[in-house]
Amino acid sequence: VNVNLATNSATVLCDPSVSEQMLVEIVNKTGFSGSLADPEEISVALTHTISKRRLIVALICGAVVLYIGMSHMLPVRLPLPAIIDDRIHPLNFALIQLVFTIPVLICGRNFFINGTKNLIKLHPNMDSLVAVGAAAGLVYSLIEMGLLAAGQVSGMPDLYFESAGMILTLVTVGKYLEERSRGKTTGAISALLALAPESAVVRRQGQELTIPTEEIVAGDTVIVRQGGRIPVDGVITDGHAAVDESAITGESLPVEKVPGDAVTSATVTSSGYLELRATRVGGDTTLSQIIKMVSEASATKAPIAKIADKVSGVFVPTVISIAVITFVVWLLLGRSVGFALARGISVLVISCPCALGLATPVAIMVGNGMGAKHGILFKTAVSMEAAGKVETVVLDKTGTITAGTPEMTDVIPADGVREEELLRFASTLESCSEHPLAKAVLSGAQSRGIEPGAIDGFTALPGSGVRAEIDGAEALGGSLKAVKERIDIPASLEARAGELAAEGKTPLFFCRNDSLLGIIAVADVIKPDSPQAVAELKNMGINVVMLTGDNQRTAEAIGRQVGVDRVIAGVLPDGKEAVVRELCAKGSTAMVGDGINDAPALTRADVGIAIGAGADIAVDAADIVLARGSLLDVAAAIRLSRATLRNIHENLFWAFFYNTIGIPIAAGVLSGIGLNLDPMFAAAAMSLSSFCVVSNALRLNLLDIYNPRRDRKIKHREVESTVIENTKTEEEKAMTKTMKIEGMM
C-alpha cells in the first residue's frame, strides 16, 4: 500500500482475487472512510477541508469566549456589560460563553468525529487528544452550569468554556495551514503537462497540417521551426538546428542537431529548421515518462511520523484510564461524587493536549518564519523535520552549482595579435548568430566597451561554427576541428585549448584568412558561493554528490573546483531519479535542482530542494524552495532544521515532564496533606505548560542560520558507487487499485 497524503489516496497492489468491496471494508474497519477513486481526481489538488469561513468564525468566537472567560481571573478585571457580569448574573455569564462556544464546536466538529471514531477503533491520534481535551473542559462546564441553574451552588463556579473553545480554535488554525501546504503537491504534474505544445505541424500527403499534438502518430513527419517546441520524440530527416535540451538533460548549452540525430519532446529549437519522423508519441514520449515518474514518486514518498502521534496511541488511553481510576478510587474511599468527579476532570484537564499538541507545530511555525525571512521556504512541517536528518546532498550542476548561462571566461590572442583586436573580430563574426555561445562572446566583448563591426555573407556551419567576410577578409570561427581543417594550429595554443576543456570550458578558435587570431573560452561559470556552500555541507558531516546530464569531462572539472565528494555525469532524468532512489535506500538524501529535468529526482528524494530562480516545475516538485537561489541556503536550511528539531525535542520533554508531575497531583495523591488541584488550577497549569513551550520555541528567533561555528558533524557515511543496471524481472500477476481515503492526517 502506497499512501499519498497530498491527495488523500492510497494505491494498493493486491492479488486479483481481492475485490474492490473487500478493500473498502478493510479501510472502513481501520477508522477511515474509503471508496474507489476516480483516477482523474487523483491528479488534481484537493480543496481544503477546513474552509476559510469556518476558520474566521472559530477565531472570532474563540476570542470572545476567551475575553469573557478570563475577565474575572486577571489582577485587573476586564470590563463586561452588567447583564453578563459574573457577580450580578452568574448564569448569564455562563450562558453567553456557551453561546459563543457552540459555533467553535461546530467549526471543529471533525476533530470530535475523527477523534472519537479513532478512539473507538483503538487507533487514537492527535484528533483524539484534541477531542478528549476539549470535551473534558466542555462537559465539566456544562455540569457546573447545570448545578448553577438548579440553585445547588452559590457564587460563580469554575467554567472552562474558553479552554474548550481555544483548544479547537488553535488546532483549527494549524490544520488549515497544513492543508494549504498539502494542496500544492500536484502542481508539478500540471506544470509538466503544460510543456507539451497543444498543436504541431505535420506533413501528410504533401500538405502541411496543424493538428492537436495528441493526434500525431508514429511515422508522421513533424515540422519544427526556430523557437518551436518539439512535440514528440523522433529522428531528424531534414534540416539542422541548435536544440535547447535543458528541459531533459540539464545541459545549459544548445546542441547542434543534423539529419540522423534523435530529438526528444519538450526540447526547443533555439535556431534553425527541423523535419523529423515521429518515433514515440502520446504516453510513450520522454516528457510523458517524466510526468509519470513525478506522479509515482509523489505517491510513494513516505511521510515522517510525528513524535506526538506516535505517543498518542499510549498517552490518550492512559490518561483516560487514570481519570476513571481516580474517580472510582475516591468513591471507594468514601468521598463525595463531586469531589471524585473534580479529581477525575482535573486529570483530564491538566492532561489536555495543548502542550503536547503545540510542541511540534509552534517550533515549526517559528522555524518557518525564520526561514522565510532569509528566502528559505519550507512547504510542509514534514520537510522541515526531514531536512535536519539528511546524510547526503545531491546537487544538480546547471543553474544550481553554476549560473546556468554561458559567459566569456578567457581571451587568449595569438602571437602578434592584440586582445582588443581579437575581441572586435570575434564579436563582429558572432553578431549575426543566435547561438548561446555566440551571445556569450558578443556580451563579453560589449562589457569591455568593444562593439561589433560590419559583416557580409554570414553562414552558419551546423555543429562546427560560423563563416563570413569582414573587411574583405574571410573570417572563420568555431571548434578546434573546424578551424584545424583550414589552417595549422600552433601546438602551444592547441595545448592551451585542451587545458581549457579540462576546466569545463568550451574553447572557440577565430582565424582571418589563413592566420589564427586566438582563442576565446566560454563556460557556464560556477556561482561565487558554491565552493563555500559545499565546504559547509561537508563540515556538517554530509556527503555531497554532483549529479548532471552534462558530459563527464566538464562535470569532473566543475566538481574539482567546488570540492564535491563524487561526480555522476551523463545522466538523463530517469537515471537521476534512479540514482536518488538508490541513495535514499542507503540513508536520508536531499536533492537540490532548478530544472524541469530535476523534477523526478526532486520528488523521489527524501527532501527536494529547488533553487527559486529556476523552473516553476522544479519549485512545485520540491519540498523546500530557496528563493534567493544561493547554495549557501542549503546549509542554512539544514542548520535551521536541526535547531528546530532540537527545539521540538525540548518542547516534548517539558510537555511530558509537566504531565508526569501534574497528573499525580491532579489525581489527589497529595490530598492527605491538604493539597488538591481543582480543575481551575489544572487549567492554569495547562496554560503555563503551553506558555513554556511557546517561549522555548521563540528562542529560535535568535538563531544565526548562516553561522557555521556551531555545526556538528553527523556520523559520516561514505558514498558508495551507484550503478544503475537494466534488469528484467518476471512480471507478477497483480492488479493496482486506487482508493479515495477521507479523514487522513
Side-chain angles (χ1 to χ4, degrees), residues 313-342:
V314 177
F315 180 74
V316 176
T318 300
V319 168
I320 295 174
S321 299
I322 293 174
V324 172
I325 291 172
T326 298
F327 176 74
V328 173
V329 167
W330 284 117
L331 285 180
L332 294 177
L333 291 176
R335 303 303 290 264
S336 66
V337 173
F339 180 88
L341 183 61

Side-chain angles (χ1 to χ4, degrees), residues 59 115 320 493 612:
L59 282 171
I320 295 174
L493 287 181

